Amino acid sequence: MSVQQTSAPKVTVSPLELEDPNEPPLNIYKPKEPYTATIVSVERLVGPKAPGETCHIVIDHGGNVPYWEGQSYGVIPPGENPKKPGNPHNVRLYSIASTRYGDNFDGKTASLCVRRAVYYDSETGKEDPSKQGVCSNFLCNSKPGDKIKITGPSGKIMLLPEDDPNATHIMIATGTGVAPFRGYLRRMFMESVPKFKFGGLAWLFLGVANQDSLLYDEEFTKYLQDYPDNFRYDKALSREQKNRSGGKMYVQDKIEEYSDEIFKLLDNGAHIYFCGLKGMMPGIQDTLKKVAEQRGESWEEKLSQLKKNKQWHVEVY
């Protein structure tokens, strides 16, 4: 028998009125009248061998743009829209990577997990510095004190259902798609929330290129140590691990590896969430379909049932 581990004390959060409303805040600030917030910090999240750069950006909204875990903020980068001269840029949506209390636990900040978008010349294969993602580069280049125009919060699909504190939540992310799940996990395991004492199972699958590309790995590893009965964490490193067929390891390969368990959990009411690039979904859907068929089930029927039961949550971009 292993000695029962004592988990780390949780952080007491305030202001507690953020727990009161029955409905999530929605679209308090709109594109025509955004809120001007302030950048608190910008921190590189990935190691030197990660392809590309991903940053953790903390924004001070002064408590004026409250949100729930799983919602998104819109960001309007400075400058004018090249397609509509004289007009501001279009809004870019980013999933919020913190709980409603923010990284400082006072309800006044929100965090974003942003990968710098760069473009490669199709002929030379080299990065083309003349083309860069307008908003992601603005965010990753910003400095503490810089002003930022935000809209929102928006979204209800990825809200964390809290009616059953002992529910199972299976989270599948590629890259920065881990953002909402960081918020969920901080709420479950880091914060002492008066109305939500999590006693279920949270299972995170994270797909990135290599070890240096892992996001928030230290936080997740700590939950694993402190809450071994309530948290599972599986990584798919496409450039470092091989799947069963000897090909690159992607999240769908991990899903296939644990498919029996996942399907049993879904049959027992587990929620399943997907967040990341749009391109992740076809491979995942194919894998789930294949597994369902091997089990003698119709994936179309199962999927329709999961959606009907509100167990299926997808946010891809």
Side-chain angles (χ1 to χ4, degrees):
M1 293 287 286
S2 63
V3 179
Q4 180 60 44
Q5 285 174 300
T6 52
S7 54
K10 291 189 173 185
V11 178
T12 303
V13 290
S14 65
L16 296 176
E17 66 266 16
L18 288 174
E19 296 296 323
D20 289 344
N22 293 324
E23 285 293 315
L26 277 173
N27 303 315
I28 303 170
Y29 288 91
K30 299 185 169 60
K32 289 206 165 120
E33 291 181 1
Y35 180 79
T36 302
T38 306
I39 299 283
V40 177
S41 60
V42 177
E43 176 195 351
R44 182 182 163 102
L45 278 177
V46 292
K49 292 180 185 160
E53 180 177 34
T54 302
C55 296
H56 181 72
I57 296 152
V58 179
I59 297 164
D60 184 346
H61 59 79
N64 299 307
V65 198
Y67 56 88
W68 283 7
E69 299 72 23
Q71 288 191 299
S72 300
Y73 270 173
V75 176
I76 303 173
E80 67 171 42
N81 190 333
K83 292 179 181 166
K84 294 181 187 167
N87 289 302
H89 281 288
N90 293 337
V91 172
R92 270 67 165 187
L93 282 181
Y94 291 94
S95 299
I96 298 171
S98 46
T99 71
R100 63 193 75 185
Y101 295 99
D103 286 5
N104 299 331
F105 309 106
D106 61 2
K108 292 185 176 168
T109 69
S111 303
L112 305 181
C113 177
V114 179
R115 178 166 173 162
R116 193 187 282 277
V118 290
Y119 293 86
Y120 293 91
D121 184 295
S122 54
E123 288 182 10
T124 64
K126 291 192 175 153
E127 201 177 301
D128 180 352
S130 67
K131 290 184 187 168
Q132 292 185 325
V134 173
C135 198
S136 63
N137 283 275
F138 157 66
L139 287 166
C140 291
N141 292 337
S142 54
K143 302 277 182 289
D146 287 356
K147 298 299 176 193
I148 170 176
K149 289 183 173 169
I150 57 175
T151 66
S154 64
K156 279 181 153 185
I157 293 164
M158 296 293 280
L159 291 176
L160 181 63
E162 296 188 353
D163 46 349
D164 176 7
N166 299 317
T168 295
H169 303 273
I170 302 164
M171 301 163 258
I172 294 151
T174 55
T176 57
V178 78
F181 306 142
R182 178 184 184 254
Y184 297 176
L185 294 168
R186 283 173 81 90
R187 187 161 172 84
M188 291 165 175
F189 300 127
M190 188 181 280
E191 297 176 346
S192 174
V193 180
K195 290 186 178 176
F196 182 56
K197 298 275 183 283
F198 183 67
L201 171 67
W203 190 354
L204 174 64
F205 290 88
L206 175 57
V208 291
N210 56 18
Q211 195 73 29
D212 268 21
S213 308
L214 286 167
L215 305 170
Y216 309 112
D217 188 52
E218 278 179 26
E219 271 182 39
F220 302 153
T221 304
K222 182 140 181 27
Y223 302 147
L224 210 48
Q225 290 167 351
D226 292 343
Y227 299 95
D229 297 335
N230 303 91
F231 183 52
R232 291 174 69 171
Y233 178 29
D234 281 279
K235 311 167 208 186
L237 309 177
S238 61
R239 296 190 186 178
E240 292 179 1
Q241 296 172 326
K242 294 272 186 274
N243 62 21
R244 286 175 180 173
S245 321
K248 290 182 174 182
M249 172 72 83
Y250 293 111
V251 277
Q252 59 262 37
D253 300 310
K254 281 282 173 196
I255 293 168
E256 190 168 8
E257 206 176 299
Y258 292 104
S259 56
D260 264 358
E261 223 177 323
I262 290 171
F263 271 66
K264 278 176 192 153
L265 291 168
L266 291 173
D267 289 342
N268 287 324
H271 288 269
I272 190 162
Y273 310 81
F274 304 89
C275 191
L277 293 171
K278 209 174 270 172
M280 76 187 262
M281 284 313 287
I284 288 172
Q285 289 265 30
D286 289 347
T287 298
L288 292 168
K289 186 174 179 101
K290 184 169 96 181
V291 171
E293 283 167 1
Q294 285 166 354
R295 293 166 61 93
E297 297 180 55
S298 151
W299 174 242
E300 284 70 24
E301 282 173 25
K302 192 168 194 73
L303 178 57
S304 135
Q305 196 58 47
L306 291 170
K307 287 178 176 173
K308 195 173 155 193
N309 296 346
K310 297 192 164 87
Q311 291 170 255
W312 182 266
H313 313 260
V314 178
E315 186 167 83
V316 289
Y317 40 84

